[in-house]
Amino acid sequence: QKTSFHRSQTLDFKNGYAFSRLPREGVGGDTLFANQLSQDELDDLCTKGATLTYGQVKRPAPSRFTPAFVTYDKKVLKFDAYFMEEVAISAEEHYRIRQVGLYYYLEDDSMCIIEPKVKNSGLLQGKLMRRHRVPKNERGDYYHWKDLNLGIDLTIYGRTYRLVNCDSFTKVFLESQGIIVNPPEELVSDPYTEQRRTPVQKRIVPTGPDPFRQFLTYDTKVLRFYAIWDDTNCAFGDHHPCIIHYFLADDTVEVREVHKRNDGRDPFPVLMRRQRLPKIFVDKNKNFPSCVLEITDHEVQEWYSPKDFAIGKTVTLLGRTFLIYDCDKFTQDFYREKYGITDFQPVDVNKKPLEKVPQVIPPYNGFGIPEDSLQNCLSLFPKPPRKDIIKMLENNLKVLRYQVALESPVPEDKNRRFILSYFLSDDTIGIYEPPVRNSGILGGKYLKRTKVTKPGSTPENPIYYEPSDFTIGSTIEVFGHRFIITDADEYVLNYLERNAESFPEATVQSIRDHFLPRKVVVETASSGFPKKDLDDLIVEVQKELKLQEPFNTRQFHEAFHHFDKEGSGFLDKARFLTVCDRFNVPTSTILLKKV
């Protein structure tokens, strides 16, 4: 009832070497009992004859079986062969001989064909046939090593290979198997390849002038001249630097224009294409339409040649005049060897530097500040004037404020008061007029923040107002309007005193004298008189003055300052009563006595 009859594996590989081992199972997987004796003892018993018993002598044990693929592992027969390939598309060769190597692998009777690769052969070379068992005929037979020998034709897949030689191992193997190896043959070479390897005979050059000889002799040899094309006679003409190339191979000339960055010209390097240039024309009829026809040798008496070009010469090429001022080293060597010229001193064609015309600044037109308007004269794209960043950071938010009065013949302008602000960060001035109700004048910004020049300064050298110019009673002229400084902020006095070394003594003393009466009044008011009683007294005086006829407070203050000749801020009782009588203030009341 067995269904499995396979045998156990007895061959194995270890560390790359083949070896045999005893089977572990029997046929079909039956259990094998371990032998009590070793294999060597069993072999001895099989070969030892019987001495104590009668019977037939046992035959010796057969030799150990080794498969063919183990015996012939890595053993290859190598034959040198060639085949002829037909070439139908070439006029120079009709067939091609291709040399190959045929390899026969003894372990599995497979074959492969490899053609050595030849550089730049243009053929698909390498492995022409992969390794496999090659069929011999249509009956299903395969090629065997017994079919291989030297001097025979082997047809494989319709291609016939001629075996001509083999290596020493192949010869020894075939002879050991009883095959008589034929003598080797010579490996046939490809006739076209041998023809290409033969040296080409040099052509006999004729003694006369030959264009082909000139081409072979002077190919890739070019004379280079540096020239200037003077085009100043035309409108918007200029001196164009050019390079003239003279090709010795065919006596042609090419002119290239040298461009520079931002030269304003189109980037076309070739000014004249490579061509033969006529030097002298043959006399011909003026009505001949030569402008529309190509120039032939019959119309030209002489063409330009290397002798027509030299340093310092002026040549006319197609109506353009070029002055040659220099050449390269190869050109110098050519003229030195052929014409014996030794003077190659270059001509100086550099333009003389133009005299620098001083820039004339136009007069100031009155728009904007002079520094800002000056930038339009210095650059096509004006930039704002540079500011003193350190000064702006040190004097940021520092403003000196003054009260000014407008000096004007108009009666309505006499009572107008303005606040003049001087910004220390950038020396600008802004004027603001506080609105006054029912005055008929719209207050607000009178002058936006800007720099103001002093009278008499010129636009070329403007002189701007500085804090040292602002003193009590001084006149400030702002764009045709005159202002008189009547008062200042206390911050002005504190700033001038902190930086007294930076300002004139007269400016600081003027502000001190102006604030001195105020300090005296403050000191007097705080000398012991109760502040509450003083405030009550002020309220009573204001109520009393409101009962009087329309009272002009400004004129009342001016009268006090008028009688205070010394500017001390004090008036004696007699002068005080005189001022009160002038303004119809009753001087016999108890309130006046308190004051």
Side-chain angles (χ1 to χ4, degrees), residues 60-200:
S63 61
R64 299 179 62 181
F65 173 73
T66 305
F69 66 89
V70 175
T71 304
Y72 297 121
D73 182 33
K74 299 180 181 180
K75 294 182 180 180
V76 183
L77 304 182
K78 196 261 182 179
F79 294 90
D80 296 332
Y82 68 89
F83 67 94
M84 185 172 63
E85 182 181 27
E86 184 180 358
V87 180
I89 58 175
S90 177
E92 298 180 358
E93 55 178 344
H94 303 287
Y95 66 92
R96 184 180 296 122
I97 300 297
R98 300 178 64 174
Q99 301 175 359
V100 298
L102 189 146
Y103 298 87
Y104 185 93
Y105 298 87
L106 296 173
E107 56 179 330
D108 56 355
D109 297 329
S110 61
M111 299 171 61
C112 76
I113 299 177
I114 299 177
E115 181 181 7
K117 291 186 178 181
V118 179
K119 189 176 181 181
N120 297 328
S121 65
L123 302 177
L124 186 62
Q125 297 175 327
K127 184 176 287 187
L128 300 183
M129 186 182 72
R130 65 178 179 84
R131 175 181 173 181
H132 67 290
R133 297 189 67 185
V134 181
K136 180 179 179 181
N137 48 37
E138 297 179 354
R139 295 188 301 271
D141 298 334
Y142 296 94
Y143 275 108
H144 194 261
W145 53 265
K146 297 179 181 179
D147 302 323
L148 305 179
N149 203 339
L150 301 184
I152 65 173
D153 293 333
L154 198 66
T155 302
I156 299 176
Y157 295 122
R159 181 178 288 174
T160 302
Y161 296 89
R162 180 73 176 179
L163 306 184
V164 297
N165 203 350
C166 64
D167 57 359
S168 59
F169 171 78
T170 304
K171 183 177 181 181
V172 171
F173 177 80
L174 293 177
E175 291 177 348
S176 65
Q177 300 298 326
I179 298 176
I180 300 175
V181 180
N182 299 329
E185 299 178 0
E186 185 179 357
L187 189 62
V188 180
S189 301
D190 184 29
Y192 180 72
T193 304
E194 295 296 329
Q195 179 185 354
R196 293 290 302 271
R197 291 176 179 173
T198 57
V200 180

Side-chain angles (χ1 to χ4, degrees), residues 516-536:
L516 181 59
R518 299 185 187 180
K519 291 185 178 181
V520 174
V521 172
V522 173
E523 293 174 359
T524 305
S526 60
S527 60
F529 195 83
K531 185 176 186 303
K532 185 176 182 305
D533 296 343
L534 180 61
D535 294 340
D536 294 341

